[in-house]
C-alpha cells in the first residue's frame, strides 16, 4: 500500500510511518517545520512550493493527513491561522486524494462534541464548542462531501513515543525520570479516553487493509481525567516528585471551552476487529519503567 503521510514528524504521523514501514508498505512521510531523518518537506498549504517532496512521482494509494493546528487555546484567538492549518490543509489533502484516486485518512477529535454525554459513538450528534473543534468538524464535512473513499478516525488524548516527546504523558514521564520536581494545576473534570499513537497506527492499517470507509472512533478501556492521568504516571515514577493541584475547568479560565465528558466508545471498530488489542496507559508506563 503506497502511503503518503502528511505530518509524519508529529505524534500520530510518526507512529503511522513506523508501523506502515514495518508492514512493508512503501511510505512517503512529510514534515513541515521540523525536519527528521525519515521525512521530506511538504507544505500542504502551497502545492507549488519548490521545496515540496515529489508526490507525483510517489503516486500514493492512501493519504493519511495528520497536519492541523492542534493548540486549542491558540486557535481560539487565531481563527484564520486555525482555518488555514486545519480546514484549508484538509481541502488540499482532498484535492490530492482526488488527483491520485487515493483513500484519504483523516484524524479528528472528540472536540467535535460538546462533552455533555461522554463515551461518544459515531452516530452521536456533533456540537463543537471551540474554534479548533469547529474547524476539525468543517474539515470532516468537506471530506464527506467530496470523497467516497475516506476514513475519519476520531481520537483524543493521544500519547506515546514521538521524536519531540511533546505529548502530556511523554513529558511527565521524561521529567519524572530525570527526577525533576513539578507542581501542576490540572482540571479534575475533563474526562477522555487516552489512546496510544502506536495503537492508532495499527487501527488505521487494519481499516485500510479491510478497505473500510466512513467514521470510526478509536479508544482503549481507559476513561480518565487529567488528574488521574498524571497520578497514573506518578504511581510509576514517584509521587514525591509531583504536586498536583486539582482545579475545575471553570477555574482554569482557558480561552477555549472544553468538552468535559469527552472520549469515545470504539464498539463499531471492536465489533469489526474482535481480535484487535488496544493497550492502556499502564502498559505504556510499564514499558517506560523497564527502559
Ligand atoms: N494529539 C492528540 O491528542 C490529538 C487528539 C485528537 C485529534 N488529534 C488529531 O490528530 C492529528 C495529528 O495530531 P498530532 O498530535 O500527531 O499532531 P502533531 O504532533 O502536532 O503533528 C502535526 C503534524 O502536521 C504537520 N504540519 C503542520 N502544518 C503543516 C503544513 N502546513 N503542511 C504540512 N504539514 C504540516 C507538522 O509538521 P512539523 O511539526 O514538521 O511542522 C506535524 O508533522 C491532528 O489532525 C490532530 O487534530 C490529535
Amino acid at each position: 500500500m503506497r502511503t503518503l503521510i502528511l505530518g509524519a514528524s508529529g505524534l500520530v504521523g510518526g507512529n503511522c510511518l513506523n508501523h506502515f514501514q514495518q508492514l512493508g508498505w512503501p511510505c512517503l512521510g512529510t514534515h513541515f517545520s521540523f525536519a527528521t531523518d525519515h521525512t521530506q518537506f511538504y507544505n500542504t498549504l502551497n502545492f507549488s512550493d519548490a521545496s515540496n517532496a515529489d508526490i507525483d512521482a510517489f503516486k500514493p494509494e492512501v493519504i493519511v493527513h495528520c497536519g492541523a493546528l492542534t493548540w486549542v487555546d491558540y486557535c481560539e484567538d487565531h481563527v484564520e491561522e486555525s482555518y488555514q492549518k486545519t480546514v484549508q490543509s484538509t481541502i488540499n489533502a482532498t484535492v490530492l486524494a482526488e488527483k491520485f484516486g487515493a483513500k484519504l485518512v483523516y484524524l479528528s477529535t472528540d472536540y467535535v462534541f460538546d462533552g455533555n454525554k461522554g463515551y461518544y459513538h459515531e452516530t452521536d450528534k456533533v456540537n463543537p464548542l471551540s474554534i479548533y473543534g469547529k474547524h476539525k468538524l468543517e474539515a470532516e464535512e468537506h471530506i464527506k462531501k467530496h470523497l467516497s473513499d475516506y476514513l475519519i478516525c476520531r481520537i483524543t488524548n493521544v500519547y506515546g513515543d514521538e521524536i519531540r516527546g511533546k505529548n502530556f504523558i511523554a513529558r511527565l514521564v521524561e521529567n519524572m525520570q530525570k527526577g525533576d520536581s513539578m507542581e501542576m494545576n490540572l482540571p479534575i473534570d475533563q474526562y477522555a479516553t487516552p489512546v496510544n499513537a502506536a495503537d492508532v497506527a495499527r487501527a488505521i492499517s487494519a481499516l485500510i487493509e479491510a478497505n473500510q470507509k466512513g467514521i470510526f472512533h478509536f479508544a482503549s478501556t481507559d476513561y480518565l481525567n487529567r488528574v488521574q492521568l498524571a497520578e497514573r504516571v506518578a504511581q510509576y515514577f514517584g509521587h514525591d516528585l509531583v504536586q498536583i493541584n486539582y482545579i475545575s475547568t471553570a477555574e482554569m479560565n482557558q480561552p477555549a471551552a472544553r468538552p468535559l465528558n469527552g472520549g469515545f466508545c470504539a464498539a463499531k471498530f471492536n465489533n469489526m476487529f474482535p481480535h484487535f488489542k488496544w493497550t492502556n496507559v499502564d502498559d505504556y508506563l510499564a514499558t517506560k519503567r523497564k527502559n
Side-chain angles (χ1 to χ4, degrees):
M1 204 68 67
R2 302 180 63 75
T3 307
L4 169 66
I5 301 153
L6 299 168
S9 50
L11 172 59
V12 176
N15 276 272
C16 284
L17 183 60
N18 284 342
H19 177 62
F20 299 168
Q21 283 178 332
Q22 278 167 17
L23 293 177
W25 297 3
C27 290
L28 171 55
T30 75
H31 63 261
F32 182 57
S33 61
F34 186 81
T36 79
D37 292 343
H38 314 288
T39 53
Q40 299 179 40
F41 176 87
Y42 194 83
N43 182 359
T44 49
L45 295 175
N46 183 4
F47 288 138
S48 47
D49 192 320
S51 307
N52 277 348
D54 189 353
I55 291 177
D56 286 351
F58 183 69
K59 294 187 181 56
E61 297 165 284
V62 175
I63 299 173
V64 181
H65 176 39
C66 301
L69 186 57
T70 56
W71 184 2
V72 177
D73 288 327
Y74 181 88
C75 290
E76 211 61 22
D77 300 325
H78 300 81
V79 179
E80 180 53 26
E81 187 180 344
S82 168
Y83 179 87
Q84 288 299 320
K85 292 185 174 166
T86 296
V87 184
Q88 188 61 50
S89 75
T90 305
I91 294 171
N92 293 354
T94 304
V95 169
L96 291 177
E98 281 172 326
K99 176 176 172 182
F100 295 105
K103 180 191 281 291
L104 183 64
V105 183
Y106 179 65
L107 279 310
S108 194
T109 167
D110 59 347
Y111 279 54
V112 300
F113 297 107
D114 57 22
N116 288 330
K117 171 181 170 282
Y119 219 47
Y120 284 97
H121 292 70
E122 291 81 353
T123 46
D124 283 326
K125 192 170 167 290
V126 289
N127 183 27
L129 304 176
S130 60
I131 294 296
Y132 171 73
K134 284 178 184 150
H135 285 164
K136 293 297 287 183
L137 181 60
E138 196 172 334
E140 285 190 9
E141 297 297 340
H142 182 87
I143 292 167
K144 281 159 57 180
K145 194 167 158 200
H146 289 86
L147 297 176
S148 54
D149 192 4
Y150 66 82
L151 286 168
I152 292 171
C153 304
R154 294 193 182 130
I155 51 180
T156 181
N157 271 213
V158 187
Y159 62 90
D161 291 339
E162 63 173 324
I163 298 176
R164 280 172 276 187
K166 59 184 168 34
N167 64 82
F168 180 64
I169 292 186
R171 275 190 285 123
L172 283 183
V173 168
E174 194 195 338
N175 285 345
M176 289 189 198
Q177 278 179 329
K178 279 196 292 198
D180 290 351
S181 57
M182 281 172 286
E183 182 175 351
M184 294 178 289
N185 294 335
L186 292 174
I188 190 84
D189 52 358
Q190 289 180 24
Y191 283 85
T193 44
V195 68
N196 191 318
D199 290 351
V200 173
R202 288 194 303 116
I204 290 173
S205 68
L207 287 168
I208 292 171
E209 280 174 337
N211 197 23
Q212 287 296 325
K213 296 166 191 178
I215 300 182
F216 288 86
H217 287 182
F218 292 172
S220 78
T221 52
D222 287 322
Y223 194 65
L224 302 168
N225 65 41
R226 285 270 155 174
V227 170
Q228 290 170 325
L229 206 49
E231 286 197 331
R232 199 60 71 89
V233 182
Q235 268 170 27
Y236 281 77
F237 299 103
H239 275 109
D240 46 328
L241 292 173
V242 53
Q243 183 184 327
I244 302 170
N245 304 321
Y246 308 172
I247 56 175
S248 68
T249 296
E251 283 172 299
M252 291 192 78
N253 209 12
Q254 293 161 306
R258 265 59 178 182
L260 296 187
N261 296 307
F264 294 119
C265 171
K268 178 181 172 186
F269 179 92
N270 292 341
N271 289 340
M272 214 171 260
F273 302 96
H275 301 296
F276 187 95
K277 298 267 185 292
W278 297 97
T279 60
N280 285 329
V281 170
D282 281 312
D283 297 318
Y284 180 69
L285 294 174
T287 66
K288 296 289 117 188
R289 192 157 58 180
K290 270 189 228 139
N291 294 336

